[in-house]
Amino acid sequence: MFNIKEQLKKLPDKPGVYLMKDNKGEIIYVGKSKLLKNRVSQYFRSFNSHPPKVQAMVKTIEEFEYIITDTEVEALILEANLIKKYKPRFNVLLRDDKSYPYIKITVNEKYPRVLMTRKVLRDKAKYFGPYINVFAVNQTLETIEQMYPLRKCNRNLESNNQRPCLNYHIKKCLGPCTGNINHAEYMEMINEIILFLGGKQEILVEKIEKKMKEAASQLKFERAAKYRDQINALKSLAEKQKIVSTSKADIDYISMAGSNNKVCVMIFFVRNGKLIGREHYMLEETEGLERAHILCTFAKQFYTGSSFIPKEILIDEAMEDIETIERWLSQKKGSKVIIKQPIKGEKKKLLQLVHKNAVEYLTKFEEKINKEQE
């Protein structure tokens, strides 16, 4: 039989993850600590000083186990993965497991394609995103399709004398399957699309304007008109993104609003200095938990499932484990990631707007629940 008092004495003074279990052996809580001995022992001391939710959990614990890690960052990563795997009932959980769309350019193929995907693979292709909604991706792909006659099929192009499909005949594809296409010209189009998706619309517009003037000076007015339409499509798409920063940085703005036993976390996504969208997450069973802990729990779960990590993450209140999460995200991104609270300026103002949106969404959510209950 598992003796909790005896097992507490054996806990090591090392970083790691602990798993609390009930009388059925089910994992009811997963946590991480810099010092396992201190953290796990705290649950079984000063019972009355714990919040009601923690007291309820401690009453349910029949046994625990732990996994030692080399560093606190490793413990953080393992904790997030175990929470995602087991979904313990006493952990604050992200119920909304969204899968964001990306635009993929298959530069690992001789004649690359441009398509939408929800999975980021290690296949040497280029990925752009995540985008907040499918509509934005479809609109972008439609613009690219209007501008560039690229192949859309997944044919094997090893043999270059295949019969072309309808897209070739209606001039929506140059038909690399026929072998009658200049590879350098095809890759020039791909490089222009990479510029465009990478937020360098101004450079691309300038490049196409030069081609348009050259075509007009050579009296090739049909080609010049085609370039003009491409420029208009690019400008139209770029104008729909609100510019919120002159720094052209990638930043996530996070704020949250709480009421009763629920919390709404709101994120604004800024990419290349432009606000490309927002997303909200409802967290339940948060009563009695410190806001710094809730925000920390959210950040760990959200960025575990995110393929893109911004350079900056801005928050408007204190958060636990900031330094550890910064180290983890920096390792994941491959470059320095900063988490901070802005005191003033345009970043502070935008965070205030994020908070207003969180409050608004939480209010509407509760109104909806009340109506359903009535």
Side-chain angles (χ1 to χ4, degrees):
M1 187 174 175
F2 192 89
N3 188 316
I4 289 179
K5 288 184 179 179
E6 288 300 317
Q7 293 303 317
L8 287 174
K9 295 176 185 176
K10 297 177 183 178
L11 282 164
D13 289 319
K14 292 181 180 179
V17 172
Y18 54 91
L19 299 90
M20 303 299 194
K21 297 182 178 181
D22 62 13
N23 57 4
K24 295 178 183 176
E26 291 183 5
I27 296 170
I28 58 173
Y29 187 80
V30 174
K32 68 98 186 152
S33 177
K34 192 174 182 179
L35 294 172
L36 283 168
K37 191 177 190 69
N38 292 353
R39 184 72 187 97
V40 177
S41 299
Q42 283 175 0
Y43 287 104
F44 302 95
R45 292 198 301 260
S46 306
F47 178 82
N48 292 329
S49 64
H50 294 317
K53 185 176 180 179
V54 177
Q55 289 182 7
M57 181 192 75
V58 173
K59 286 179 181 177
T60 315
I61 298 171
E62 288 293 325
E63 60 178 297
F64 63 81
E65 62 179 89
Y66 58 87
I67 303 168
I68 297 171
T69 59
D70 287 329
T71 65
E72 194 178 2
V73 172
E74 287 180 10
L76 186 148
I77 297 168
L78 181 58
E79 177 202 31
N81 288 331
L82 290 174
I83 289 172
K84 191 172 183 180
K85 180 179 179 180
Y86 293 110
K87 296 180 172 54
R89 69 176 186 267
F90 284 102
N91 283 98
V92 176
L93 301 174
L94 293 189
R95 299 291 179 187
D96 194 349
D97 190 16
K98 292 181 174 67
S99 178
Y100 293 108
Y102 290 77
I103 292 178
K104 176 180 181 178
I105 302 182
T106 60
V107 291
N108 49 333
E109 299 175 339
K110 186 177 180 181
Y111 292 97
R113 295 168 291 149
V114 181
L115 45 94
M116 184 182 81
T117 183
R118 291 183 184 273
K119 290 184 178 180
V120 178
L121 307 173
R122 293 185 177 180
D123 55 1
K124 297 184 180 178
K126 278 189 175 291
Y127 293 87
F128 296 88
Y131 292 86
I132 307 309
N133 57 60
V134 178
F135 176 75
V137 175
N138 287 335
Q139 190 179 40
T140 303
L141 291 176
E142 192 176 312
T143 302
I144 290 171
E145 189 178 321
Q146 290 171 2
M147 293 169 61
Y148 301 101
L150 301 174
R151 80 179 182 104
K152 299 165 190 65
C153 67
N154 57 358
R155 286 184 179 185
N156 186 340
L157 301 182
E158 292 300 321
S159 58
N160 291 331
N161 55 355
Q162 301 178 48
R163 187 176 179 181
C165 65
L166 180 62
N167 283 327
Y168 173 78
H169 294 293
I170 61 175
K171 297 184 178 178
K172 286 204 168 183
C173 176
L174 293 175
C177 56
T178 64
N180 299 321
I181 177 173
N182 186 308
H183 184 258
E185 288 180 6
Y186 191 95
M187 290 309 298
E188 186 181 352
M189 292 192 295
I190 292 296
N191 290 331
E192 287 181 358
I193 293 168
I194 290 171
L195 273 178
F196 169 50
L197 294 175
K200 308 263 175 51
Q201 289 97 336
E202 300 85 359
I203 295 173
L204 184 52
V205 167
E206 197 176 297
K207 193 173 181 180
I208 297 173
E209 278 178 345
K210 187 177 178 182
K211 289 182 181 180
M212 181 181 71
K213 289 174 183 176
E214 285 177 3
S217 66
Q218 296 169 9
L219 305 181
K220 296 177 180 177
F221 299 116
E222 190 176 334
R223 182 176 291 183
K226 180 185 171 185
Y227 289 138
R228 179 204 60 208
D229 292 343
Q230 289 181 355
I231 291 166
N232 290 336
L234 280 170
K235 287 181 176 178
S236 173
L237 201 59
E239 283 169 4
K240 289 176 182 176
Q241 295 176 329
K242 180 182 176 183
I243 296 175
V244 295
S245 173
T246 54
S247 66
K248 295 190 176 182
D250 295 330
I251 306 173
D252 284 355
Y253 290 77
I254 303 177
S255 183
M256 67 180 182
S259 176
N260 299 324
N261 200 19
K262 298 179 182 67
V263 164
C264 175
V265 180
M266 183 72 65
I267 309 183
F268 276 27
F269 301 95
V270 173
R271 300 293 179 261
N272 200 37
K274 295 175 182 177
L275 178 61
I276 65 166
R278 69 173 193 178
E279 197 54 82
H280 65 270
Y281 292 86
M282 292 302 302
L283 306 177
E284 299 186 9
E285 304 300 326
T286 57
E287 189 176 7
L289 298 179
E290 293 183 7
R291 292 175 68 85
H293 173 74
I294 296 170
L295 190 56
C296 171
T297 300
F298 169 80
K300 287 187 285 188
Q301 292 187 48
F302 177 77
Y303 289 108
T304 295
S306 177
S307 299
F308 180 84
I309 308 295
K311 185 178 179 181
E312 279 186 75
I313 298 168
L314 301 183
I315 52 178
D316 58 359
E317 56 186 295
M319 184 172 84
E320 290 179 356
D321 290 339
I322 283 184
E323 291 181 2
T324 306
I325 294 173
E326 279 183 335
R327 290 199 298 273
W328 164 51
L329 293 178
S330 297
Q331 289 177 13
K332 190 172 181 182
K333 183 178 176 64
S335 59
K336 180 70 174 174
V337 175
I338 299 169
I339 303 173
K340 62 182 180 181
Q341 285 180 261
I343 306 300
K344 58 183 179 179
E346 63 177 28
K347 292 179 177 178
K348 176 69 174 177
K349 287 179 181 177
L350 185 55
L351 265 175
Q352 290 170 344
L353 180 63
V354 179
H355 183 70
K356 284 180 184 177
N357 277 268
V359 172
E360 177 74 10
Y361 187 86
L362 183 63
T363 303
K364 288 182 178 178
F365 179 83
E366 290 189 325
E367 285 174 358
K368 181 184 175 184
I369 296 296
N370 290 336
K371 283 179 182 178
E372 287 175 354
Q373 288 176 345
E374 287 172 8

